[in-house]
Amino acid sequence: MEITLNRKFLGGVALIFLLVIAIALGLTQSPRVAGRPVLLTRENQALMHYLDQAETWQRTLQDEQTRLSSLLPAITATPKPGQLPAPQQAGVSSPGDLYARSRLAQEALDNLSRTRQEMDTANVPLSLVSLHALALNAAQDHLTLAQEVLAYVGTPGEDRLRAIVGKRDQAARSLAEMQTTIRKQREAMHASR
């Protein structure tokens, strides 16, 4: 018994098979915004790449802010309006502790400097220039905070701590503004689909 297959039938089966593979690859490999696949035009690709970079920078700023805060004395009392909280007195630090704290503060400063350099050389899509300005501002606020903490670790004092509390609050505000703007940009990109 001989089986003969029609060439058109084999061609149709092969075409369906290739189409199924292409659809599966497209669904699994397509970039996604809010869980939905996005058409990857050059403009969308540049926007997504920049937003991914901005989120990486934001995480770095957040991590370094946490590290820098850990190098400061804990705030124990709730201040009255217009009064600076009193730092917890932990006694005199040992020289090894001072060295470790200085090293951590310097590492934070170095990481923030590298992040700022990445921001300076980033390819910024025209529609995200305002987000980039926010990112640069947040990075600068964190660099200033790191410099103040490094100086405080070397020579602690009430005046320096006052300055640091203000700089820490400013850095937190600029980081929150950056996070909010990134989220809104992702939502806007999703809505425009």
Side-chain angles (χ1 to χ4, degrees):
M1 180 191 268
E2 187 175 313
I3 299 177
T4 58
L5 296 176
N6 186 344
R7 284 186 171 220
K8 287 184 179 181
F9 175 75
L10 287 177
V13 169
L15 184 62
I16 290 173
F17 180 73
L18 289 175
L19 189 60
V20 167
I21 289 175
I23 289 172
L25 284 174
L27 289 174
T28 60
Q29 300 301 316
S30 290
R32 296 180 179 275
V33 173
R36 293 183 166 204
V38 180
L39 180 62
L40 194 57
T41 63
R42 286 185 190 253
E43 294 80 21
N44 282 350
Q45 183 179 21
L47 291 172
M48 288 183 61
H49 178 70
Y50 181 82
L51 289 174
D52 290 344
Q53 276 185 311
E55 286 176 341
T56 300
W57 299 331
Q58 174 259 309
R59 282 189 299 275
T60 300
L61 296 178
Q62 195 166 27
D63 292 346
E64 296 308 333
Q65 183 181 35
T66 301
R67 183 196 316 218
L68 291 168
S69 292
S70 74
L71 298 173
L72 299 173
I75 305 300
T76 57
T78 303
K80 296 177 184 171
Q83 181 185 9
L84 181 71
Q88 178 182 10
Q89 298 301 320
V92 178
S93 298
S94 67
D97 184 46
L98 177 62
Y99 174 75
R101 291 174 66 212
S102 295
R103 183 179 48 78
L104 288 172
Q106 186 62 52
E107 286 174 3
L109 183 62
D110 292 344
N111 285 342
L112 290 167
S113 294
R114 274 192 300 276
T115 300
R116 175 61 196 252
Q117 287 174 346
E118 287 176 21
M119 289 178 179
D120 287 339
T121 60
N123 201 4
V124 183
L126 192 55
S127 62
L128 296 179
V129 169
S130 61
L131 171 59
H132 192 66
L134 290 174
L136 290 172
N137 186 43
Q140 189 58 49
D141 288 345
H142 282 79
L143 278 168
T144 303
L145 174 63
Q147 291 164 344
E148 291 288 332
V149 170
L150 187 58
Y152 177 81
V153 167
T155 55
E158 191 67 30
D159 291 339
R160 282 192 197 242
L161 188 58
R162 263 192 202 96
I164 289 171
V165 169
K167 304 257 188 246
R168 183 183 59 191
D169 292 347
Q170 177 58 38
R173 281 190 300 272
S174 62
L175 181 60
E177 189 175 2
M178 179 183 172
Q179 289 171 323
T180 301
T181 305
I182 290 171
R183 181 181 45 78
K184 286 181 180 178
Q185 288 294 335
R186 289 247 187 231
E187 289 170 358
M189 191 172 175
H190 174 66
S192 68
R193 273 190 9 98

